[in-house]
Amino acid sequence: FSSLRPADLKVAMANLSIPNENEAQSVDARAEIDLRLGISFSRFQTQYFKKHFGAQLGHIVKTVSYGPCQMPTLWFCVHRQCQIQDFKPKLFWKIRATVKWQGDEFDADCTCGKIWDENEAKQMKDKLCDASEACVVGMARRNVVKSRPLPLNTVAMLQKASDLAGISPGDAMHCAEQLYLKGILSYPRTETSRYPVGFDVIAVARLLQSSGLPWAADAERIASIPTAARSDGVD
């Protein structure tokens, strides 16, 4: 975790250690490899496309860049767009009945799932509409345990922002980086999904209890329950 929170910076300064030379050299090597690959392949691609597609590109494209992360990401985007364009929607029907029992009301879905034939669906619906009672033929119970959440890596953060808040990946990353610079979030560009040793969940929850915030009540409830960060995850 890389954090600019005042508390984290004070802890880091109070616990200085000798840097790991091998890790530092690996970072330098990665940066140099990325630079060499990027320059070499960007130059090769630019010359190739200008030679073979110069008439089509004209003066619009001056450089066709390459990056070890950029190109695989571009492939995922193009592949997904092709899937969206090739997708052919198909109508289906589902049977759902509203059942009342001892003052309670709940929905019951047909075990057959999706029905692809409209006439078959209508026939089943007509049979259900004629019935005034339902018979329970079986019952099953199970316990569900919901684990405490892990910290979000970059991909998980962007997915949550898109699914729950409707925020595009670009906007989500921009907001996350601004929050990082203000010391509110840890560094958002990461593959880590494991809390650092000694991570204080309660302290973070208390920071979110400011009055007027829509999540203040949830943060207060979490802070009132003694808890510790999960020790699993990927680092």
Side-chain angles (χ1 to χ4, degrees):
F1 270 73
S2 173
S3 172
L4 298 179
R5 290 178 59 239
D8 293 331
L9 294 177
K10 290 178 181 179
V11 171
M13 294 301 296
N15 297 275
L16 296 177
S17 60
I18 299 176
N20 188 315
E21 183 177 356
N22 291 331
E23 290 181 351
Q25 289 181 350
S26 69
V27 172
D28 288 341
R30 173 66 181 272
E32 183 172 348
I33 291 173
D34 286 351
L35 178 62
R36 289 175 179 270
L37 281 175
I39 292 176
S40 300
F41 277 94
S42 294
R43 183 172 182 270
F44 170 76
Q45 287 185 154
T46 300
Q47 292 181 341
Y48 180 87
F49 280 101
K50 283 186 175 180
K51 178 180 179 181
H52 294 84
F53 306 100
Q56 292 87 343
L57 297 177
H59 299 287
I60 300 176
V61 179
K62 295 182 179 180
T63 303
V64 182
S65 63
Y66 172 89
C69 296
Q70 169 187 328
M71 298 309 294
T73 302
L74 177 60
W75 180 88
F76 282 118
C77 294
V78 173
H79 180 64
R80 182 56 178 165
Q81 181 62 26
C82 291
Q83 288 180 323
I84 294 173
Q85 291 178 343
D86 294 339
F87 177 74
K88 299 294 188 295
K90 185 177 180 181
L91 290 176
F92 65 88
W93 291 261
K94 297 181 70 174
I95 302 297
R96 172 173 295 176
T98 300
V99 182
K100 295 181 180 180
W101 182 72
Q102 294 184 355
D104 294 327
E105 185 175 294
F106 61 92
D107 292 331
D109 291 327
C110 183
T111 56
C112 64
K114 297 178 181 179
I115 303 172
W116 301 99
D117 184 82
E118 184 178 4
N119 292 328
E120 181 183 353
K122 288 182 177 179
Q123 290 176 4
M124 295 181 66
K125 177 187 175 183
D126 293 338
K127 290 181 180 180
L128 285 175
C129 289
D130 294 336
S132 59
E133 295 182 352
C135 178
V136 178
V137 296
M139 183 178 66
R141 293 182 179 180
R142 62 176 179 172
N143 294 326
V144 178
V145 178
K146 189 173 183 179
S147 302
R148 292 165 293 168
L150 288 169
L152 302 177
N153 58 27
T154 304
V155 174
M157 178 196 69
L158 297 179
Q159 288 177 337
K160 291 287 186 181
S162 177
D163 295 341
L164 302 179
I167 303 176
S168 68
D171 291 340
M173 183 58 69
H174 174 74
C175 293
E177 290 174 343
Q178 294 303 310
L179 292 172
Y180 165 72
L181 294 175
K182 294 180 180 179
I184 298 175
L185 291 184
S186 59
Y187 189 58
R189 296 182 181 272
T190 178
E191 295 302 315
T192 300
S193 63
R194 178 183 295 176
Y195 288 105
V197 178
F199 185 82
D200 194 345
V201 177
I202 303 302
V204 175
R206 287 171 180 165
L207 290 174
L208 301 175
Q209 292 183 40
S210 302
S211 60
L213 296 178
W215 51 77
D218 292 329
E220 183 178 358
R221 178 176 53 83
I222 294 173
S224 65
I225 305 174
T227 184
R230 288 174 57 174
S231 58
D232 55 334
V234 179
D235 189 1

